[in-house]
């Protein structure tokens, strides 16, 4: 088991955003987390990577690096693309002396090629489109060869071809590294192409758990409402 979440509770003020949630992800498995805006998807990822602390519950991850691909690219504006991608290799004490500068240049070029962006090493984030920034942040996250990878809406705002590229890469990375991955997404193509299992959040709870095919079968009120994007159903948008 590579990610195990047990009885997780997280409140912000008087709102219980995560209300006693448990699930696990095996090595070599990708779990999709879906749910309306504000249902707590990003919060779960931030709890798993330790950016925020739970009120109670347990999170167990296997040893090794956890990488997070943030919902908003979060690149460093003052660093060029090469330095953004190489950031962890330069800054992390355990990695700093592992690679020579020429190794690092090679790794950066290789990661950029993987996300379909060659030759932009010297450019700055502000010179790139939103979708390009997103792909750079993807390259940056995987530079440490992590064994737990958390993707927060990796394909939102991307054109269909760039989405496919990222989806294929999520699958390839899983197959090559046997990492345990979680993909938060609204995009049906991303769920179908990358996920082995899906959980749906609503009102702080898991209201559905199954395969993408189970979800598309729409045989419960929650999956039906989500898949048909209907205003009618058990889930109400919160103000
Ligand atoms: N640091 C925080 N302080 C206070 N409230 C927060 C904080 N982070 C998240 N929340 C609240 O928790 C709820 C869940 O937020 P979260 O970002 O996890 O939603 P989400 O499912 O990722 O939504 P989206 O699809 O819009 O990205 C929201 O009501 C949000 O306002
Ligand atoms: Mg979010």
């Amino acid at each position: 088991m590579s990610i195990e979440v047990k009885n997780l509770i997280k409140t912000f003020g008087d709102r219980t955003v995560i209300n006693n949630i448990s699930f696990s992800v095996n090595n070599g498995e990708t779990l999709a987390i879906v749910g309306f805006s504000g249902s707590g998807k990003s919060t779960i990822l931030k709890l798993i990577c330790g950016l925020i602390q739970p009120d109670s519950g347990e999170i167990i991850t296997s040893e090794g690096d956890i990488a997070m691909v943030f919902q908003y690219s979060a690149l460093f504006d003052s660093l060029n693309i090469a330095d953004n991608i190489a950031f962890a290799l330069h800054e992390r004490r355990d990695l700093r002396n592992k690679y020579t500068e020429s190794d690092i240049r090679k790794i950066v070029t290789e990661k950029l090629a993987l996300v379909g962006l060659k030759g932009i090493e010297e450019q700055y984030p502000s010179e790139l489109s939103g979708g390009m920034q997103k792909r750079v942040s993807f390259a940056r996250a995987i530079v440490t060869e992590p064994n737990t990878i958390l993707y927060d809406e990796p394909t939102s705002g991307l054109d269909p071809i760039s989405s496919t590229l990222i989806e294929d890469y999520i699958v390839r990375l899983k197959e090559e590294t046997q990492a345990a991955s979680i993909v938060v997404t609204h995009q049906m193509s991303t769920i179908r192409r990358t996920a082995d299992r899906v959980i749906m959040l609503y009102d702080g709870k898991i209201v559905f758990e199954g395969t993408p095919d189970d979800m598309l079968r729409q045989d419960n009120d929650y999956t039906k409402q989500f898949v048909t994007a209907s205003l009618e159903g058990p889930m109400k948008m919160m103000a």
Side-chain angles (χ1 to χ4, degrees), residues 2-238:
S2 195
I3 306 173
E4 193 166 6
V5 169
K6 284 191 212 161
N7 305 112
L8 199 62
I9 297 181
K10 178 69 188 172
T11 56
F12 290 115
D14 56 5
R15 223 189 121 205
T16 306
V17 173
I18 304 297
N19 192 358
N20 200 12
I21 280 181
S22 304
F23 63 86
S24 58
V25 190
N26 291 313
N27 286 322
E29 188 183 32
T30 302
L31 176 77
I33 301 183
V34 302
F36 287 162
S37 182
S39 60
K41 305 179 300 295
S42 295
T43 301
I44 288 189
L45 298 192
K46 288 177 192 162
L47 286 163
I48 293 172
C49 74
L51 272 176
I52 56 175
Q53 296 303 312
D55 296 2
S56 63
E58 248 186 293
I59 297 164
I60 304 158
T61 52
S62 55
E63 289 203 359
D65 275 332
I66 301 183
M68 171 99 148
V69 180
F70 288 96
Q71 185 166 1
Y72 304 103
S73 307
L75 299 175
F76 301 110
D77 293 333
S78 60
L79 299 183
N80 71 19
I81 299 307
D83 289 338
N84 261 285
I85 294 175
F87 189 77
L89 305 182
H90 282 133
E91 297 301 321
R92 268 185 37 184
R93 201 170 294 218
D94 57 326
L95 297 174
R96 211 184 279 160
N97 298 318
K98 195 169 161 190
Y99 303 102
T100 65
E101 274 310 305
S102 100
D103 290 338
I104 291 180
R105 270 198 300 278
K106 234 166 78 192
I107 294 171
V108 166
T109 302
E110 181 193 299
K111 299 298 181 211
L112 276 176
L114 280 171
V115 295
L117 293 171
K118 279 193 189 147
I120 62 160
E121 284 87 341
E122 303 301 319
Q123 288 186 254
Y124 284 83
S126 63
E127 299 173 270
L128 306 183
S129 73
M132 289 164 86
Q133 290 182 28
K134 194 135 196 166
R135 286 186 279 158
V136 170
S137 74
F138 190 93
R140 180 178 64 176
I142 57 174
V143 79
T144 60
E145 318 259 314
N147 53 9
T148 304
I149 314 179
L150 312 174
Y151 303 97
D152 201 347
E153 304 198 16
T155 52
S156 69
L158 295 184
D159 66 82
I161 293 174
S162 301
S163 288
T164 303
L165 190 102
I166 293 288
E167 287 155 8
D168 284 352
Y169 193 55
I170 290 172
V171 172
R172 210 162 98 203
L173 204 60
K174 172 186 89 167
E175 285 167 356
E176 280 172 10
T177 64
Q178 290 298 299
S181 319
I182 299 181
V183 180
V184 165
T185 183
H186 294 291
Q187 246 168 262
M188 218 46 94
S189 69
T190 306
I191 298 167
R192 272 206 313 268
R193 295 172 66 115
T194 66
D196 301 299
R197 258 180 326 121
V198 185
I199 61 178
M200 187 182 298
L201 300 184
Y202 177 68
D203 202 18
K205 305 256 184 219
I206 295 175
V207 293
F208 163 80
E209 177 160 12
T211 64
D213 285 342
D214 294 337
M215 185 171 93
L216 290 167
R217 223 172 284 127
Q218 301 176 38
D219 52 10
N220 97 18
D221 289 342
Y222 292 98
T223 54
K224 182 186 264 168
Q225 184 181 1
F226 188 82
V227 173
T228 60
S230 172
L231 296 175
E232 309 291 323
M235 299 186 281
K236 307 287 173 224
M237 284 299 275
M238 280 157 270

